[in-house]
Amino acid sequence: MTRLIRTGLPAGTFLLVATRFLVYLGVQAAYFIGIIGTLTYEVGASTWALAGAVGFFNLFIIFGNAAGGTLLDVRGPRLHAAVTLAVAVATSVLFQLATPGVTNVLAMSCAFGFATGLGFAFLSAYPAYLTDDADELKRVNALLAVVSNVAVVVGPAVGGLIATVLPAQRVFLATAVFSAAAALPAYLLVERVLRVRAARVRSRALDAPEPEPAAAEPDAPGATAPSAAAPESAPDAPSATFADSVRTVFTVPSLALLFGVGVLAYTGYGAFDPLESLFYRDVLHVGIAWMGWLSSAAGAGSVIGSLLAIRVPRAHVDVLTLILLIALQGVGCLLYVGTPYVACALAGQMVLGCAFGMVTPLQNTLVQMHAPIEVLGRVNSVMNAGFNGAGALPLFAAPALAAIFGVQGVLVGASLVVLAVPLVYLAVHRRTVARIVAEERKRGQEG
């Protein structure tokens, strides 16, 4: 068990928090304004181009997730962190050399999506390297969610300020700066992670049964003794394939349930990204800077939600709580896009953000509890491939539907999907949910 510092958090937590905050701050400062804002306000792109930008972004997040998860599992956190930060800086700087245009922005969407996907493991996998205790995991994930949502407040505000005086693509310079700044805490973090990883390898070696007599003798040619000297190789990970990670997701009941309800709910969110900026421009009648202010309102709500997540009793860290919180996100979506008034949009973003701020740490905690650490990076890649893939499904239907029902009509319909899906899923799978919840609460009492 990891030794705790005075705060009750595993040692290394604050280095992970600092790394995640700086990396995600760069993403939040740049994506919405730098890609969607450039296409909407500076290029005057069509809804199809906006859908393409979001679709490519989500697709390459999936690719980045898969690459990052595999890199973490097979080569270890040191190389994963170095590659992630280098790619983030390089893509942000290269975009400054491109002239604004649909093709260049779409290319940037691909590159930035890949960089974003690489960095997701800081949030989804690294906490399990610091501790395997459920209560500690919940606290670490909640704290990560708090700082992530602070980034959602600060990042768009920084991007909005930059966009008021400079072309929108210059917001990516903020990404380069923040990602470079993350190098120091990331370096110190992976040294801590590597020590913990080495201790676990040694523990597994000491606890392993003696080899069978038929096994190779220690001095036999090619035989090697267990060693923790090179933890970066993740000794248990290479034997597992990506297909094994997919199998893990669908054979562990709680992971399968998390995957199913998440995929269905994210399908509703898919209509938002290509139409949201048009909603601001044509329904709310606000300028590009409001893309930052409204996103910051969601971030403020998420900070509150993340702080509330810390107070969730261990007995209620389960899939039922998660499903109900996803339904609350649907309520926030309806308030956000249901009227032409900015005040209502702000309130909706706060409610949506609050629910999201509780969902993220709870979901990550459940995945980390049930997935073996040796394949955790790839299990998270599978989960997030499903979520991002589901969110991409409605992208190209959204422009056609908007031509028929209007931008606001499609967004309201998508909000209803986000609200209804978890409730319908709960009704249809109530016995499975009840069984998993009973097991989770029993485990909480035993812990």
Side-chain angles (χ1 to χ4, degrees), residues 12-104:
T13 295
F14 294 111
L15 292 172
L16 176 57
V17 164
T19 303
R20 166 63 180 177
F21 175 70
L22 289 168
V23 169
Y24 201 55
L25 185 63
V27 172
Q28 289 298 318
Y31 166 66
F32 198 38
I33 294 176
I35 294 176
I36 305 301
T38 298
L39 287 174
T40 302
Y41 287 89
E42 297 186 5
V43 178
S46 67
T47 54
W48 294 103
L50 291 170
V54 176
F56 285 132
F57 182 74
N58 286 331
L59 177 63
F60 278 81
I61 280 181
I62 294 173
F63 295 156
N65 247 318
T70 301
L71 188 63
L72 176 63
D73 289 343
V74 177
R75 298 299 302 275
R78 180 180 290 153
L79 186 61
H80 168 266
V83 170
T84 296
L85 298 180
V87 170
V89 172
T91 55
S92 300
V93 172
L94 285 174
F95 191 45
Q96 305 309 306
L97 306 178
T99 56
V102 172
T103 300
N104 288 338

Side-chain angles (χ1 to χ4, degrees), residues 18 51 75 118 131 149 180 224 237 305-306 310 344 387-388 393:
R75 298 299 302 275
L118 281 174
T131 180
N149 293 317
T224 57
S306 302
I310 298 176
C344 289
F387 299 159
N388 284 289
L393 289 176

